[in-house]
């Protein structure tokens, strides 16, 4: 290995370790800063030129994520999410129906919009409602996190790792959804069934509930406009319009308003996530150029990644070690050389997402729910989540892998 290759390997390892841990001890660097520092280091050692670094960043992914962030921000700020949540939950007149409503609403919204943002909206609503009706909030909070992960499997726009895979694989939006929507639906059913079993005491007795959710202030005109744009986006996605192009145009249209100050929308955009993506693209490209020879890439066959079950398990483990987006980018050089790259990408999308339910630390969505619960004085423990997350992950991964192995 050359000196540059050794330096690139060190940068790759340190960057991925930092992203996995979330910080560098003694420094005030977050995941975005670590990824940007890693990308800059790759350029500094000469692994990539500036032109190579620009080309390494997949701007379709960045644009899609930015456009969807604007759409989600507008739905949140206009009061659309709060209103929809109130309508759904107020029709749940028994604990089990409340569980079903929370799971279904979170899962469906997460299928078309970024799941992390849905958790930011849903978790406070769940805490508020369960507090008013004097129910244990934990099973419903777990349902929120788990359903957001399961539901987001269904589409390219469901979560950040699917957006990366959509851009890298070239799989169309309809084809992606046709393959993985059944897995997402099974996952939502599994969430309800497993939580019903684990928290049987919560649902043992039939209790009449009258939940009320504060709708807050709603900008009705902006809500209508946002709904129309979302319907237009769904039609465009399934009609084959490039998803990044459609999302950017949809987001830009929503910025045309007299009712909502743009600063309120900009505050909802997760800039650090965009920076992290850009940095990781450069880090992976630098490692690819200096470390991965054709023989090394071909050696992926020796790992047996052509086998759907092995690829699914490998992806799930990798996602829990280093988080799902870095895991997807780490697998990027090896997927095109497999026997069925399209199916392999779908397996990676499915497994990297469902693996997020394994522990409380498995996905950003889980951490968002846990933080919202802690802030409201109803902490969600690691053990409580794992009682549901472990059987849910094993069940959904097995079902999803079988579906892609035998039904695709």
């Amino acid at each position: 290995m050359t000196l540059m290759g050794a330096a690139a390997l060190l940068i790759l390892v340190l960057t991925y370790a930092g992203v996995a841990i979330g910080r560098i001890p003694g420094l005030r660097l977050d995941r975005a800063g670590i990824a940007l520092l890693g990308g800059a280091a790759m350029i500094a050692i000469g692994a990539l030129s500036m032109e190579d670094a620009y080309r390494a960043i997949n701007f379709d992914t960045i644009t899609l994520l930015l456009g969807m962030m604007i759409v989600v921000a507008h739905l949140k700020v206009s009061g659309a999410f709060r209103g929809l949540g109130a309508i759904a939950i107020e029709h749940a007149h028994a604990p089990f129906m409340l569980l079903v409503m929370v799971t279904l609403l979170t899962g469906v919204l997460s299928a078309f919009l970024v799941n992390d943002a849905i958790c930011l909206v849903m978790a406070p609503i769940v805490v508020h409602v369960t507090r008013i009706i004097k129910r244990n909030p934990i099973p419903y909070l777990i349902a929120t996190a788990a359903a957001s992960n399961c539901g987001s499997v269904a589409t390219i726009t469901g979560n950040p790792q699917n957006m990366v895979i959509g851009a890298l694989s070239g799989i169309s939006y309809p084809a992606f959804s046709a393959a993985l929507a059944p897995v997402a639906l099974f996952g939502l059913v599994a969430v309800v069934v497993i939580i019903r079993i684990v928290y049987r005491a919560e649902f043992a007795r039939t209790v009449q509930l009258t939940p009320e959710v504060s709708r807050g202030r709603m900008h009705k005109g902006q809500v209508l406009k946002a709904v129309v744009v979302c319907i237009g986006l769904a039609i465009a996605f399934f009609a084959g319009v490039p998803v990044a192009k459609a999302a950017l145009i949809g987001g830009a249209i929503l910025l045309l308003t007299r009712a909502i100050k743009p600063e309120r929308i900009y505050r909802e955009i997760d800039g650090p996530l965009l920076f992290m993506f850009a940095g990781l693209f450069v880090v992976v490209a630098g490692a690819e150029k200096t470390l991965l020879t054709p023989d090394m890439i071909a050696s992926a066959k020796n790992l047996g990644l052509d086998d759907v079950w092995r690829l699914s398990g490998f992806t799930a483990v990798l996602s829990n070690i280093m988080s799902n987006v870095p895991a997807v980018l780490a697998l990027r050089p090896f997927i095109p050389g497999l026997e069925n790259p399209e199916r392999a990408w779908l397996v990676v999308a499915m497994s990297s997402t469902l693996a997020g339910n394994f522990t409380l630390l498995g996905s950003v969505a889980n951490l968002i729910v846990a933080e919202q619960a802690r802030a409201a004085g109803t902490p969600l423990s690691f053990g409580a989540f794992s009682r549901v997350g472990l059987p849910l992950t094993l069940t959904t991964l097995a079902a999803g892998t079988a579906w892609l192995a035998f039904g695709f």
Side-chain angles (χ1 to χ4, degrees):
M1 182 183 294
T2 65
L3 183 61
M4 182 182 294
L9 178 60
L10 180 62
I11 292 168
L12 178 69
V13 170
L14 291 177
T15 301
Y16 267 62
V19 169
I21 297 170
R23 62 187 181 86
I24 294 178
L27 297 176
R28 292 184 177 273
L29 273 178
D30 59 2
R31 286 186 170 91
I34 292 166
L36 285 174
L37 181 61
M42 283 292 186
I43 297 170
I45 67 170
L48 292 173
S49 66
M50 285 299 294
E51 290 73 19
D52 290 334
Y54 294 144
R55 284 192 291 269
I57 299 172
N58 190 303
F59 285 101
D60 278 348
T61 303
I62 303 293
T63 303
L64 172 58
L65 193 53
L66 175 62
M68 293 307 297
M69 283 178 181
I70 295 173
V71 172
V72 170
H74 200 92
L75 286 166
K76 181 180 176 182
V77 171
S78 67
F81 282 144
R82 197 165 48 245
L84 181 60
I87 292 170
I89 289 175
E90 285 173 359
H91 284 80
H93 299 300
F96 182 70
M97 281 307 301
L98 180 60
L99 173 65
V100 172
M101 283 292 190
V102 168
T103 302
L104 188 61
L105 181 61
T106 304
V108 171
L109 289 175
S110 295
F112 293 98
L113 305 168
V114 187
N115 66 334
D116 299 347
I118 301 305
C119 286
L120 277 169
V121 175
M122 285 299 298
I125 292 176
V126 169
V127 170
H128 173 72
V129 168
T130 52
R131 182 171 290 166
I132 288 176
I133 61 178
K134 296 180 172 60
R135 307 301 300 182
N136 177 11
I138 299 304
Y140 306 100
L141 286 168
I142 294 174
T144 301
S148 77
N149 290 323
C150 290
S152 72
V153 169
T155 70
I156 287 173
T157 54
N159 56 57
Q161 63 269 22
N162 283 5
M163 293 182 188
V164 174
I165 290 169
L168 296 178
S169 67
I171 300 173
S172 70
Y173 200 95
F176 191 101
S177 296
L180 292 183
V183 178
L185 180 60
F186 176 86
L188 296 180
V189 173
V191 169
V192 173
V193 171
I194 291 173
I195 291 178
R196 173 66 178 80
I197 293 170
V198 172
Y199 288 92
R200 61 180 67 87
E202 169 68 17
F203 308 103
R205 292 183 299 119
T206 302
V207 179
Q208 186 71 17
L209 303 179
T210 54
E212 294 183 7
V213 182
S214 172
R215 286 170 168 78
R217 183 186 176 192
M218 291 182 64
H219 298 276
K220 293 183 179 179
Q222 300 308 310
V223 169
L224 177 62
K225 181 176 165 184
V227 170
V228 170
V229 168
C230 286
I231 293 172
L233 280 177
I235 293 171
F237 290 154
F238 283 103
V241 176
V243 287
K245 177 180 177 181
L248 184 63
I249 293 172
I253 290 172
L254 288 177
L255 290 175
L256 285 170
T257 172
R258 292 183 298 175
I260 298 174
K261 292 181 179 180
E263 290 82 3
R264 295 185 65 190
I265 303 297
Y266 301 153
R267 282 197 296 268
E268 300 293 332
I269 294 173
D270 190 350
L273 182 62
L274 300 178
F275 293 148
M276 188 186 80
F277 268 64
L280 286 177
F281 276 126
V282 176
V283 169
V284 171
E288 222 177 308
K289 186 174 179 181
T290 55
L291 298 172
L292 295 182
T293 64
D295 289 341
M296 288 181 65
I297 294 176
S299 69
K301 291 189 176 295
N302 298 330
L303 298 175
L305 297 183
D306 276 317
D307 179 77
V308 169
W309 292 93
R310 187 169 296 185
L311 177 59
S312 178
F314 185 79
T315 303
V317 171
L318 199 63
S319 295
N320 272 285
I321 292 173
M322 63 174 62
S323 188
N324 37 37
V325 171
V328 166
L329 291 175
L331 288 168
R332 180 182 73 172
F334 304 100
I335 301 300
L338 299 181
E339 184 179 339
N340 188 338
E342 181 173 329
R343 184 175 68 175
W345 277 122
L346 291 170
V347 170
V348 170
M350 178 274 300
S351 185
S352 65
T353 301
L354 295 180
N357 283 327
F358 191 68
T359 71
L360 191 58
L361 305 177
S363 76
V364 174
N366 300 351
L367 295 174
I368 288 171
V369 172
E371 177 57 28
Q372 295 281 338
R374 185 198 62 78
T378 55
L380 173 58
S381 71
F382 191 94
F385 187 91
S386 296
R387 288 174 62 199
V388 173
L390 177 58
L392 177 64
T393 301
L394 296 178
T395 302
T396 54
L397 276 177
T401 306
W403 169 257
L404 292 175
F406 305 117
F408 182 75

